[in-house]
Amino acid sequence: MSRRVVRQSKFRHVFGQAAKADQTYEDIRVSKVTWDSSFCAVNPKFLAIIVEAGGGGAFIVLPLAKTGRVDKNYPLVTGHTAPVLDIDWCPHNDNVIASASDDTTIMVWQIPDYTPVRNITEPIITLEGHSKRVGVLSWHPTARNVLLSAGGDNVIIIWNVGTGEVLLSLDDLHPDIIHSVCWNSNGSLLATTCKDKTLRIIDPRKSQVVAERFAAHEGMRPMRAVFTRQGHIFTTGFTRMSQRELGLWDPNNFEEPVALQEMDTSNGVLLPFYDPDSSIVYLCGKGDSSIRYFEITDEPPFVHYLNTFSSKEPQRGMGFMPKRGLDVSKCEIARFYKLHERKCEPIIMTVPRKSDLFQDDLYPDTPGPEAALEADEWLSGQDAEPVLISLRDGYVPPKHRELRVTKRNILDARPPSGPRRSQSASDTPLSQHTLETLLEEIKTLRERVQAQEQRITALENMLCELVDGTD
């Protein structure tokens, strides 16, 4: 009987490790809203988490270094009138984040490098176009200021955030609620999953479905789909018997799956996080207490189980750090930010290596913060792969860059709807807005100090009077 040859892979021994207690973020009231998004977004500068908020929707943004107990009065990003359902950092500006809400709007925010004194309430721009809740957000991987949103109205809208206008509206392609949307590496195609159990590949600029597969997973519970670097589609879903299942599909031949594997009988939706540099996909189920990871290759069985990171506490959500935010000196190939009920815990995935030198094979050049195209170029039909950077000397985030909004569409003609569409916040250049905000905060602080000094003087006078009286 021949011995089975062990598959060669540099990722066979990847292991996960939770950060030490002093590296976690404590006392965060993570949102309890029932929605299958990750509730957490992270980049090399900031950690953003959707939180519980009375009378509206909010999320908290913390500098990565601000670990430990978070003050209960720490400023939030508030502006939505209903719960926030999804957040996503702009890949081309680490200070810009978009939020989608049950209130049907998308808001785009500029986060300052300093810690604000008060809640951030004025977005750079509010995008209004959906008629129902907006549950999915995704920035274009290579075109500047292009943002995709998907709503409960079964519509996908692609926006130019730099002008506030709708570039494309895909409103006849999905008959039911859209569960997930993913761009391919150059942003020329979308993979979507829908409540009608159909997996679709869409060319957004032609507004047409170029390939589709009904019942990629036969169960009724939500599916998820991501593009792999080989151009295949990796999916997670459920069998008819409610077992969780993963699949790999070739969009050029949707008849048969490249791979299909049953997993377990848990009912949490599996969120796939795919790293194109290593071709590893990490599966995090909401309510699970584990992260399973697989390597996708060109050799059968194509999806190779690597290992499972297990812990005691179930996860409420998960953030996934872009490659440029990792510590290459420690051979870190992925970092997750696991949400508990009241805290966030980093989980580090490492390839064990003896050498301290830079490991070229683990860190190929990876997408950097520069956009390859402008929004108009992409809309006109141009495609470009991401602009890559080397991580050999580590990554230093660029200095604070402001997103300037120049409106040139009919949204301006509509009457303002409440405080959200403040002219001063949206229409003046952001630098002016930031300056005014700072001056206002300084003025407020001075007034507070003045009031405290008056109070101290009054107390001192009372004390003097008391002393004189006793004498």
Side-chain angles (χ1 to χ4, degrees):
M1 192 170 148
S2 62
R3 269 184 73 188
R4 190 178 167 201
V5 178
V6 176
R7 186 180 70 90
Q8 289 296 312
S9 168
K10 57 193 168 211
F11 301 115
R12 269 183 51 221
H13 301 293
V14 170
F15 68 97
Q17 201 165 20
K20 292 177 178 160
D22 62 348
Q23 293 301 304
T24 61
Y25 306 82
E26 304 269 355
D27 266 6
I28 296 169
R29 294 170 57 223
V30 177
S31 174
K32 292 186 172 71
V33 68
T34 48
W35 189 253
D36 287 323
S37 74
S38 58
F39 286 9
C40 180
V42 63
N43 70 20
K45 277 187 172 183
F46 298 107
L47 167 68
I49 299 167
I50 302 174
V51 293
E52 284 287 287
F59 58 99
I60 191 169
V61 177
L62 299 166
L64 278 191
K66 192 167 178 58
T67 53
R69 194 173 298 281
V70 177
D71 190 293
K72 67 177 189 297
N73 296 318
Y74 193 90
L76 304 177
V77 182
T78 60
H80 288 288
T81 56
V84 175
L85 301 178
D86 199 12
I87 48 178
D88 196 26
W89 286 105
C90 175
H92 308 126
N93 188 332
D94 286 342
N95 292 76
V96 171
I97 188 169
S99 58
S101 169
D102 220 333
D103 68 8
T104 76
T105 68
I106 302 110
M107 292 183 177
V108 180
W109 309 83
Q110 182 99 30
I111 304 299
D113 284 334
Y114 63 87
T115 302
V117 178
R118 290 192 298 261
N119 286 353
I120 299 174
T121 57
E122 291 288 355
I124 309 168
I125 193 164
T126 301
L127 305 172
E128 297 174 293
H130 288 282
S131 59
K132 292 188 179 175
R133 62 160 57 172
V134 187
V136 179
L137 283 179
S138 183
W139 291 89
H140 192 285
T142 63
R144 192 187 316 278
N145 294 342
V146 175
L147 176 66
L148 175 150
S149 62
D153 49 8
N154 314 336
V155 175
I156 289 175
I157 300 179
I158 298 173
W159 309 83
N160 181 349
V161 172
T163 61
E165 64 191 332
V166 174
L167 294 178
L168 298 162
S169 183
L170 313 178
D171 42 15
D172 299 322
L173 303 183
H174 298 87
D176 214 326
I177 291 171
I178 300 158
H179 287 145
S180 75
V181 182
C182 175
W183 297 95
N184 66 348
S185 64
N186 68 2
S188 59
L189 294 173
L190 298 170
T192 69
T193 61
C194 178
K195 196 175 178 181
D196 70 350
K197 300 207 293 189
T198 303
L199 167 65
R200 293 174 174 84
I201 310 300
I202 293 169
D203 183 332
R205 288 168 297 195
K206 291 181 181 171
S207 294
Q208 73 183 57
V209 177
V210 294
E212 63 182 357
R213 161 77 199 211
F214 175 69
H217 300 282
E218 293 184 343
M220 287 304 297
R221 289 189 50 71
M223 268 197 299
R224 287 285 185 278
V226 291
F227 275 99
T228 71
R229 72 177 182 205
Q230 295 92 347
H232 289 159
I233 311 289
F234 179 88
T235 59
T236 65
F238 293 80
T239 65
R240 195 176 288 150
M241 304 302 292
S242 292
Q243 277 204 301
R244 293 199 292 198
E245 192 173 45
L246 59 84
L248 188 66
W249 306 84
D250 181 352
N252 300 316
N253 178 17
F254 260 151
E255 292 303 309
E256 288 295 321
V258 176
L260 200 62
Q261 294 180 24
E262 285 188 9
M263 304 265 291
D264 54 27
T265 51
S266 179
N267 61 0
V269 173
L270 282 169
L271 304 178
F273 296 94
Y274 178 70
D275 172 22
D277 295 347
S278 61
S279 205
I280 294 177
V281 65
Y282 302 85
L283 302 184
C284 308
K286 273 203 153 182
D288 289 9
S289 52
S290 63
I291 302 171
R292 267 171 279 208
Y293 41 107
F294 299 78
E295 187 179 359
I296 299 172
T297 71
D298 297 327
E299 305 162 11
F302 305 107
V303 180
H304 308 269
Y305 171 75
L306 290 174
N307 210 333
T308 300
F309 167 81
S310 296
S311 58
K312 292 176 183 172
E313 297 288 324
Q315 54 229 17
R316 296 279 291 275
M318 196 69 80
F320 186 48
M321 176 66 82
K323 210 53 170 275
R324 56 198 168 88
L326 303 181
D327 186 347
V328 296
S329 67
K330 294 180 178 164
C331 296
E332 183 182 4
I333 62 159
R335 192 189 311 153
F336 291 91
Y337 286 76
K338 173 181 170 180
L339 300 187
H340 297 244
E341 198 169 332
R342 290 192 68 92
K343 75 171 182 179
C344 175
E345 174 186 48
I347 294 165
I348 293 143
M349 299 288 179
T350 309
V351 176
R353 292 276 166 100
K354 289 177 182 173
S355 170
D356 291 335
L357 299 174
F358 179 72
Q359 306 290 314
D360 300 76
D361 60 326
L362 296 184
Y363 301 105
D365 287 357
T366 195
E370 291 304 318
L373 292 171
E374 296 301 325
D376 295 343
E377 294 172 329
W378 176 78
L379 187 63
S380 70
Q382 290 186 46
D383 288 321
E385 293 299 321
V387 178
L388 304 181
I389 57 169
S390 169
L391 297 178
R392 177 173 290 278
D393 301 316
Y395 172 76
V396 179
K399 287 183 180 168
H400 180 91
R401 290 186 297 180
E402 289 172 352
L403 170 58
R404 293 182 182 278
V405 174
T406 313
K407 289 191 176 179
R408 59 169 190 237
N409 67 328
I410 58 165
L411 287 178
D412 282 343
R414 301 199 310 195
S417 56
R420 278 202 314 270
R421 296 192 56 75
S422 153
Q423 292 294 309
S424 63
S426 301
D427 295 359
T428 54
L430 188 73
S431 54
Q432 182 68 27
H433 174 48
T434 307
L435 185 64
E436 286 170 5
T437 307
L438 283 170
L439 289 169
E440 192 185 320
E441 287 185 359
I442 291 165
K443 184 183 171 188
T444 307
L445 286 169
R446 279 199 176 129
E447 285 170 358
R448 280 190 205 158
V449 170
Q450 205 173 347
Q452 297 286 357
E453 285 174 346
Q454 288 171 355
R455 176 76 177 141
I456 289 166
T457 305
L459 289 169
E460 284 173 342
N461 291 338
M462 284 171 65
L463 187 63
C464 290
E465 286 171 13
L466 283 169
V467 171
D468 290 347
T470 54
D471 288 348

